[in-house]
Amino acid sequence: MSHQPQKGQTVFAKLSEPVEPIAQEVAKQCPQKWDFLTLNFPRFLKNLLYYFVMDIGSLRLLVNDLRTSPQVKELGLTPAGLATFHESFLRFPSSLFRALFYQLLEGLCWITVPEFQALGRLCCVDGSLFPALVTMQWAVYKKKVRAFKFHCCFELNRMIPIQFVIGPGTSNEKKVLRDILEAGVTYITDRGYVSFKLFMEIHLKEAFFIIRSKKKLLTTVLETFPVEIPASLLRLYSQVTDQRVRFTKDPSGIEYRLITFWAAGTYFALVTNRFDLTTFEVIALYGFRWQVELLFRFLKRTLHGLHLLNHSPNGVEIQYYPLLTAAVLQ
């Protein structure tokens, strides 16, 4: 696929080109009568992509731009009123945008990181709070505070977000991870996911994990492994241990690997069920968990994802699929 626009073709047209056949295919899931709406599914999607690519700023400004810009017809965009946009956020289920996003990720060729590929499929998982309006009653967080939680699965191999779930601020991160588990994937998470039950469920799913422990868990040490860290990096870590353990309070009795160390004055305890990696590979992969935090910052600040176009649960979830679609296309 060429990465340069053809003569006479705009950058936006080239950017949205991979999405259009997928949008037509996904639109077949809609009732036939929706084909005749001012904003059917492909038109609604393309308008939203234009909004995010052009960084327009608000839905009202988009409506005005679509009515006044001389480029609208050339770009294949569809003018529509504010009420029509809000109706579309309620009419079209977010599952349509999810299906399109997943098909796009599967259909395009992505640059991969060879060092990660050699270690299997690696995904960082975390959740981040996004502020909500007090009128958004579904975004339950605290008594006088509204917020929703953006749960994201970020694949290190291709450095792209591959799944996300939006729920109220009180939504459970462990449950979201359970729901997205896939065999063969290594999930890298922080302390909020520590749970013997979750460890067991990941293990039984034939998936893997690297999770930082909240505290020094009581263990029975079954075997001590040699610490494998490159000599040039040993000075960064102290008091490193690498052991096969059974957790005293874990009723499953499953054996795990526990790596502990000090770095920059902070104590770390990493639990994993991957025994094939070196000590340093486990430590380094946990360090790359920060990529999902950078994604949240990218969404909130660079992509202006804090400004909501619609306040319904369906509308909020819809917004982030075209937002991330535009980001990965760019």
Side-chain angles (χ1 to χ4, degrees):
M1 182 184 296
S2 169
H3 294 283
Q4 297 297 325
Q6 298 172 8
K7 187 176 180 180
Q9 185 180 36
T10 66
V11 172
F12 176 75
K14 185 61 181 175
L15 195 71
S16 60
E17 189 177 63
V19 174
E20 294 187 9
I22 303 175
Q24 295 295 335
E25 184 64 29
V26 170
K28 294 177 182 177
Q29 301 175 36
C30 299
Q32 196 169 16
K33 62 182 180 179
W34 289 3
D35 292 343
F36 303 99
L37 295 171
T38 300
L39 287 183
N40 59 19
F41 177 73
R43 293 172 191 160
F44 182 41
L45 172 71
K46 193 165 186 177
N47 280 358
L48 290 178
L49 287 177
Y50 176 75
Y51 173 87
F52 291 119
V53 169
M54 301 303 293
D55 194 18
I56 288 175
S58 75
L59 203 54
R60 194 175 296 276
L61 288 174
L62 173 63
V63 168
N64 184 64
D65 193 286
L66 292 173
R67 285 175 174 169
T68 60
S69 174
Q71 292 183 308
V72 165
K73 187 174 182 180
E74 178 190 350
L75 296 177
L77 301 170
T78 306
L82 198 60
T84 302
F85 272 100
H86 283 300
E87 288 168 6
S88 298
F89 276 112
L90 299 176
R91 176 182 291 112
F92 295 104
S94 61
S95 58
L96 297 177
F97 295 85
R98 183 185 310 122
L100 181 138
F101 183 66
Y102 291 168
Q103 286 187 47
L104 178 70
L105 294 185
E106 292 303 316
L108 294 180
C109 293
W110 303 94
I111 296 173
T112 57
V113 182
E115 291 81 2
F116 289 148
Q117 289 295 92
L119 302 179
R121 194 170 176 214
L122 309 165
C123 292
C124 303
V125 179
D126 206 351
S128 182
L129 286 171
F130 282 58
L133 298 179
V134 70
T135 53
M136 296 167 63
Q137 297 298 322
W138 62 272
V140 179
Y141 181 47
K142 294 179 179 178
K143 187 175 181 180
K144 295 184 179 181
V145 180
R146 291 285 180 263
F148 62 90
K149 189 169 285 187
F150 189 106
H151 304 269
C152 183
C153 182
F154 183 89
E155 186 186 291
L156 287 177
N157 306 71
R158 296 178 291 176
M159 285 292 179
I160 54 173
I162 58 169
Q163 285 178 290
F164 72 86
V165 175
I166 288 177
T170 55
S171 53
N172 189 285
E173 293 177 331
K174 299 183 187 72
K175 180 182 184 304
V176 171
L177 178 52
R178 288 187 183 100
D179 291 342
I180 66 173
L181 284 176
E182 293 183 48
V185 178
T186 298
Y187 295 96
I188 306 165
T189 72
D190 209 357
R191 290 172 285 190
Y193 294 82
V194 172
S195 161
F196 293 137
K197 183 179 179 183
L198 180 59
F199 292 173
M200 180 184 69
E201 289 173 343
I202 297 173
H203 185 76
L204 294 178
K205 187 74 175 183
E206 297 184 346
F208 306 97
F209 64 87
I210 297 171
I211 297 178
R212 183 181 177 186
S213 172
K214 288 182 178 179
K215 55 187 177 181
K216 295 181 180 180
L217 299 174
L218 297 175
T219 63
T220 299
V221 178
L222 305 174
E223 183 180 359
T224 298
F225 301 117
V227 172
E228 298 178 88
I229 296 178
S232 60
L233 299 174
L234 275 173
R235 62 184 177 80
L236 300 177
Y237 310 100
S238 63
Q239 302 179 47
V240 185
T241 66
D242 190 345
Q243 300 169 322
R244 181 191 298 271
V245 302
R246 187 180 294 118
F247 292 108
T248 305
K249 294 185 178 181
D250 180 4
S252 74
I254 297 173
E255 297 174 7
Y256 297 108
R257 184 179 179 187
L258 178 65
I259 295 173
T260 65
F261 59 95
W262 285 81
T266 302
Y267 174 79
F268 291 85
L270 305 181
V271 184
T272 180
N273 60 342
R274 287 199 64 167
F275 290 87
D276 59 313
L277 302 176
T278 67
T279 312
F280 180 67
E281 284 171 340
V282 173
I283 293 173
L285 286 177
Y286 174 75
F288 277 103
R289 190 202 68 82
W290 190 249
Q291 293 299 317
V292 73
E293 301 291 351
L294 293 177
L295 175 68
F296 290 139
R297 186 174 182 85
F298 180 64
L299 275 173
K300 292 176 179 180
R301 304 302 177 190
T302 307
L303 298 182
H304 307 302
L306 293 175
H307 178 77
L308 300 178
L309 302 181
N310 185 270
H311 299 152
S312 69
N314 188 68
V316 170
E317 191 160 338
I318 282 176
Q319 171 171 338
Y320 287 100
Y321 280 112
L323 176 59
L324 287 172
T325 298
V328 297
L329 286 171
Q330 288 175 312

